C-alpha cells in the first residue's frame, strides 16, 4: 500500500499521474458558458438553422468561395500577458501592460469557406475619422469612427458596401453571408442593399455563436493570441511608451498574417457543419447542457383501436417551458402485449426516470422594454423583409407622435403650483449686479434664443437652460443644455442634449440669456458653450 494512503487516507500525486496516463486524461481550463448559451444550443434550434442552410444551398448551389461569415471582435490597447517561467513557490509574478484600462477598437472580418478573407473594417472610438488612423493596417483595410467604438446600423451598411466591392457579387452571381442576428445587422436598409446586390443573408440562432460561428470557433482565438504576442514585442521594443489606438492597426497586421490562414478559416466552416454541409456534426454530448431546460413528454405506443393513452412518467415537466422538447416512445404498447402468451417483459427504467435531473426555473415574464426574441432566418427572404418593414413602420409611428406636455422629470412642465411658498419664490429674484447682463423677460423671445426656465420637481424647483426651437402662442419648444465642469478651470460649460426635448410655457421663463460663445480648442469642445453673464443666481442644473 502506498505511504500516502496510510498517512493521509488519500491517493497521492503519483497515483493521479499514472491514472491520467492510463485513461488519457488531462487538466483543462473550461471556457465560461452562460446559462443562456447553454440552453439556447439545443437540437430543435440547431436543426432549424441547418434546415434554412440546406434550403439556400439547394436553391443556389453555392461553391466554397461564395459562402461567407462575418463577425465583429474587439482589440484593446491593454494586452493579456502570456504564461512565463517562474520559480516554484513564487506568490506573485508580474508582467508589464500598456495601461490599466485601455480603449477598444472594433474589427470586423468576413471570411469564405474556401479559406480566403477580405480586408477588415476598423471602427475607432472617435467623433471624426482621419485617414492616418489605419496606417500600417492589413492592405485594403477600411476605417471609420464612432464615439463608442462599436458597430452601428449605418456602419454595417458601409461594411456591406465593402463586401460587395471585394467579392464582386451581383444578382447573377450571388453569395451567402452567415452572421449573427445582432440588432445592428437587422436594419431594413441593410436587407434592401443585400437583396439588390445578390447577398443571401442567413442568421444563426441567438446565443449560439460559440458553436455555429466559424470566426468565433477557429479564427478570433488565434487572432487574439497573436495580437497579445505582438503587443508584448512592441512593449519591449518601445520601453516606457503606451500603446494607443493608432498603434493597433500595425499590431493587427502582424496578428492577421499569423491567424487568418486558409487552414484556420476552412476548419471553422467544417467544425460548424456549414461547409462541407454536415447536419450531424454535433453529438448528444454537445447538446447535454441544454437538458436542464428540456420538456420531456413520454408517449405510449398506442394501438389503432384507440385504447392506448398517453401515460406521463415521473420525469415529465409539462409546466416548465424550455427551448426544446424531447419525446420518448415506449418500445411496446398495450395492444402489442395483449396477444403474448407469457408475462410481458418488464420495461427498462433508467435512473433518470426514478430521480430526474434538476430543471431550470421558469424564466421571469419579460418586460415591455425587453428586446424582441429572434431566431435563425433567411433575412433576405420576402417574409423576413416584410417583418422588418413592419417593425420599422411601428418605430416611425412611435417617433412621429406629437409631443405632449409631459409630467416626467425630463420635460418642462406646467407652471409652478400656486401654493409654492413665498420664501421659495424669493430665490428667483434678481439682484442689481446681474441686471446689466440679463435681458428682461418682457422682451420677445424668438427662435434660437437661450433662456432660463424653472421646472417644478417632486420636492423642489430647479432651473435649466433651454434653447428655443419652436414657438406656438404662449407655448415654447426646445432642447435642454447639460452642464459640464471643466477639469482644468473648474468653470461650467454647457452642451446641447438633443435627446432632451420638451415643451414649456411663457410664464416658466425666468430670463433671456445673451448669445453664448463656443469654448473650442478640440473636436469635443467645439460643441460646448459658455455664457458671459453670472449664472450663479439661478443655480443651474
Amino acid at each position: 500500500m502506498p505511504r500516502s494512503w496510510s498517512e493521509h487516507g488519500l491517493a497521492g500525486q503519483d497515483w493521479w499521474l499514472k491514472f491520467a496516463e492510463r485513461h488519457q486524461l488531462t487538466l483543462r481550463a473550461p471556457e465560461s458558458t452562460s446559462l443562456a448559451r447553454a440552453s439556447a444550443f439545443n437540437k430543435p434550434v440547431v436543426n432549424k438553422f441547418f434546415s434554412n442552410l440546406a434550403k439556400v444551398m439547394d436553391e443556389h448551389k453555392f461553391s466554397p468561395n461564395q459562402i461567407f461569415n462575418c463577425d465583429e471582435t474587439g482589440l484593446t490597447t491593454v494586452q493579456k500577458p502570456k504564461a512565463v517561467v517562474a520559480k516554484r513557490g513564487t506568490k506573485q509574478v508580474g508582467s508589464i501592460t500598456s495601461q490599466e484600462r485601455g480603449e477598444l477598437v472594433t474589427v470586423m472580418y468576413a471570411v469564405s469557406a474556401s479559406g480566403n478573407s477580405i480586408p477588415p473594417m476598423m471602427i475607432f472610438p472617435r467623433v471624426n475619422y482621419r485617414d492616418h488612423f489605419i496606417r500600417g493596417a492589413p492592405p485594403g483595410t477600411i476605417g471609420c469612427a464612432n464615439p463608442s467604438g462599436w458597430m452601428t446600423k449605418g456602419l454595417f451598411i458601409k461594411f456591406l458596401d465593402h463586401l460587395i466591392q471585394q467579392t464582386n457579387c451581383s444578382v447573377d452571381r450571388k453569395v451567402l453571408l452567415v452572421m449573427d442576428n445582432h440588432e445592428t445587422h437587422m436594419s431594413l436598409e441593410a436587407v434592401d442593399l443585400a437583396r439588390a446586390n445578390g447577398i443571401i443573408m442567413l442568421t444563426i440562432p441567438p446565443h449560439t455563436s460559440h458553436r455555429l460561428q466559424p470566426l468565433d470557433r477557429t479564427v478570433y482565438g488565434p487572432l487574439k493570441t497573436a495580437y497579445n504576442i505582438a503587443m508584448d514585442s512592441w512593449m519591449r521594443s518601445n520601453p516606457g511608451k503606451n500603446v494607443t489606438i493608432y498603434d493597433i492597426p500595425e499590431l493587427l497586421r502582424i496578428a492577421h498574417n499569423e491567424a487568418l490562414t486558409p487552414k484556420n478559416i476552412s476548419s471553422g466552416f467544417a467544425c460548424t457543419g456549414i461547409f462541407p454541409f454536415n447536419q450531424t456534426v454535433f453529438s448528444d454530448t454537445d447538446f447535454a447542457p441544454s437538458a436542464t431546460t428540456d420538456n420531456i413528454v413520454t408517449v405510449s405506443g398506442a394501438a389503432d383501436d384507440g385504447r392506448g393513452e398517453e401515460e406521463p412518467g415521473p420525469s415529465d415537466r409539462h409546466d416548465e417551458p424550455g427551448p426544446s422538447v424531447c419525446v420518448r416512445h415506449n418500445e411496446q404498447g398495450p395492444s402489442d402485449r395483449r396477444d403474448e402468451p407469457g408475462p410481458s417483459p418488464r420495461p427498462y427504467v433508467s435512473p433518470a426516470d426514478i430521480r430526474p435531473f434538476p430543471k431550470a426555473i421558469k424564466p421571469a415574464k419579460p418586460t415591455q422594454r425587453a428586446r424582441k426574441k429572434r431566431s435563425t432566418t433567411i433575412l433576405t427572404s420576402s417574409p423576413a423583409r416584410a417583418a422588418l418593414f413592419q417593425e420599422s413602420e411601428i418605430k416611425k409611428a412611435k417617433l412621429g407622435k406629437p409631443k405632449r406636455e409631459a409630467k416626467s422629470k425630463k420635460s418642462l412642465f406646467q407652471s409652478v403650483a400656486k401654493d409654492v411658498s413665498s420664501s421659495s419664490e424669493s430665490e428667483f429674484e434678481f439682484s442689481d449686479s446681474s441686471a446689466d447682463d440679463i435681458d428682461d423677460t418682457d422682451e420677445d423671445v424668438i427662435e434660437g434664443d437661450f433662456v432660463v426656465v424653472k421646472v417644478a420637481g417632486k420636492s423642489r424647483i430647479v432651473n435649466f437652460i433651454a434653447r428655443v426651437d419652436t414657438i406656438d402662442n404662449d407655448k415654447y419648444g426646445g432642447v435642454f443644455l447639460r452642464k459640464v465642469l471643466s477639469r482644468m478651470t473648474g468653470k461650467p460649460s454647457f452642451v446641447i442634449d438633443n435627446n432632451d426635448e420638451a415643451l414649456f410655457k411663457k410664464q416658466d421663463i425666468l430670463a433671456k440669456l445673451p448669445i453664448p460663445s463656443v469654448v473650442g480648442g478640440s473636436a469635443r469642445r467645439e460643441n460646448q458653450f459658455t455664457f458671459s453673464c453670472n449664472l450663479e443666481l439661478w443655480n443651474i442644473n
Side-chain angles (χ1 to χ4, degrees), residues 464-485:
F464 292 93
I465 296 179
R467 185 189 66 191
V468 179
D469 292 337
T470 60
I471 301 176
D472 184 11
N473 295 328
D474 289 340
K475 293 183 180 180
Y476 296 80
V479 293
F480 288 113
L481 273 66
R482 177 167 48 88
K483 185 166 67 174
V484 180
L485 292 178

Side-chain angles (χ1 to χ4, degrees), residues 192-488:
D192 290 340
L193 178 63
R195 286 164 61 99
N197 291 273
I199 300 178
I200 307 299
M201 304 172 73
L202 173 63
T203 62
I204 63 176
H207 305 296
T208 60
S209 60
H210 64 296
R211 292 286 191 175
L212 295 175
Q213 188 93 272
L215 281 168
D216 285 342
R217 290 294 299 271
T218 60
V219 177
Y220 282 157
L223 180 70
K224 294 292 184 67
T225 302
Y227 177 79
N228 288 329
I229 295 175
M231 188 175 291
D232 282 336
S233 301
W234 190 94
M235 293 290 295
R236 287 183 172 87
S237 303
N238 300 270
K241 294 183 179 180
N242 294 332
V243 178
T244 65
I245 60 173
Y246 309 113
D247 300 316
I248 290 180
E250 184 177 356
L251 300 175
L252 175 63
R253 177 178 55 82
I254 300 173
H256 173 97
N257 297 333
E258 294 289 336
L260 274 88
T261 61
K263 180 180 179 181
N264 288 348
I265 296 173
S266 58
S267 62
F269 284 88
C271 68
T272 55
I274 296 177
F275 190 88
F277 182 84
N278 184 8
Q279 190 170 356
T280 61
V281 67
F282 300 108
S283 62
D284 292 338
T285 304
D286 298 321
F287 297 116
S290 64
T292 57
T293 55
D294 282 345
N295 290 336
I296 303 176
V297 181
T298 304
V299 181
S300 62
D304 294 337
D305 56 2
R307 295 195 300 175
E309 296 179 353
E310 292 186 1
E311 299 177 356
S315 61
D316 294 340
R317 291 294 182 271
H318 297 281
D319 56 340
E320 296 179 12
S324 62
V325 176
C326 299
V327 180
R328 294 178 179 172
H329 296 272
N330 295 334
E331 296 180 357
Q332 295 180 343
S335 61
D336 298 330
R337 299 193 298 267
R338 181 178 54 189
D339 299 333
E340 294 180 359
S344 60
R346 181 175 299 178
Y348 170 75
V349 180
S350 67
D353 293 331
I354 299 174
R355 186 176 182 182
F357 293 107
K359 296 295 180 179
I361 302 175
K362 183 177 180 179
K365 185 178 180 180
T367 60
Q368 293 182 354
R369 295 186 179 182
R371 291 184 179 179
K372 181 179 180 180
K373 292 185 178 181
R374 304 281 184 180
S375 63
T376 174
T377 182
I378 305 173
L379 202 58
T380 49
S381 62
S382 296
R385 197 263 179 197
L388 284 178
F389 177 77
Q390 186 177 4
E391 290 181 15
S392 64
E393 291 297 318
I394 294 175
K395 289 182 179 179
K396 289 181 181 178
K398 291 182 178 180
L399 294 176
K401 288 183 178 180
K403 300 176 184 177
R404 60 186 179 88
E405 294 188 16
K407 294 185 178 181
S408 60
K409 60 182 179 180
K410 280 198 171 183
S411 60
L412 271 197
F413 323 62
Q414 300 177 356
S415 301
V416 182
K418 297 181 179 180
D419 56 350
V420 177
S421 62
S422 58
S423 60
S424 62
E425 291 286 354
S426 62
E427 59 179 320
F428 301 112
E429 295 178 357
F430 308 145
S431 62
D432 296 337
S433 60
S434 62
D436 297 335
D437 299 329
I438 308 298
D439 292 340
D440 294 333
T441 55
D442 294 337
E443 183 180 349
D444 292 338
V445 176
I446 62 175
E447 295 180 0
D449 286 343
F450 292 85
V451 295
V452 179
V453 188
K454 58 185 177 181
V455 180
K458 292 183 178 180
S459 58
R460 63 190 183 95
I461 298 175
V462 292
N463 300 331
F464 292 93
I465 296 179
R467 185 189 66 191
V468 179
D469 292 337
T470 60
I471 301 176
D472 184 11
N473 295 328
D474 289 340
K475 293 183 180 180
Y476 296 80
V479 293
F480 288 113
L481 273 66
R482 177 167 48 88
K483 185 166 67 174
V484 180
L485 292 178
S486 174
R487 296 182 180 179
M488 300 293 293

Side-chain angles (χ1 to χ4, degrees), residues 153-223:
K153 292 181 179 180
L155 295 180
F156 182 70
I157 294 176
K158 184 176 181 179
F159 177 79
L160 285 180
D161 290 330
H162 177 60
L163 177 66
I164 294 168
Q165 181 182 3
Q166 294 292 327
T167 59
N168 293 323
C169 59
S170 62
V171 178
D172 298 329
R173 185 184 179 276
K174 296 183 178 181
V175 297
L176 173 63
L177 181 62
V178 181
M179 60 183 186
D180 57 39
N181 51 14
H182 192 266
E183 185 180 3
T184 57
H185 304 166
M186 307 288 288
S187 66
L188 184 63
E189 294 79 6
V191 172
D192 290 340
L193 178 63
R195 286 164 61 99
N197 291 273
I199 300 178
I200 307 299
M201 304 172 73
L202 173 63
T203 62
I204 63 176
H207 305 296
T208 60
S209 60
H210 64 296
R211 292 286 191 175
L212 295 175
Q213 188 93 272
L215 281 168
D216 285 342
R217 290 294 299 271
T218 60
V219 177
Y220 282 157
L223 180 70

Side-chain angles (χ1 to χ4, degrees), residues 492-532:
S493 58
F494 297 88
V495 179
I496 296 176
D497 190 354
N498 292 318
N499 295 325
D500 198 359
E501 299 180 86
L503 297 175
F504 51 92
K505 292 186 177 181
K506 183 176 181 180
Q507 53 264 37
D508 294 330
I509 300 177
L510 298 180
K512 176 181 174 182
L513 299 178
I515 299 175
S517 57
V518 179
V519 176
S522 64
R524 182 176 299 177
R525 294 169 66 87
E526 287 292 336
N527 298 323
Q528 298 181 7
F529 304 94
T530 58
F531 294 89
S532 58

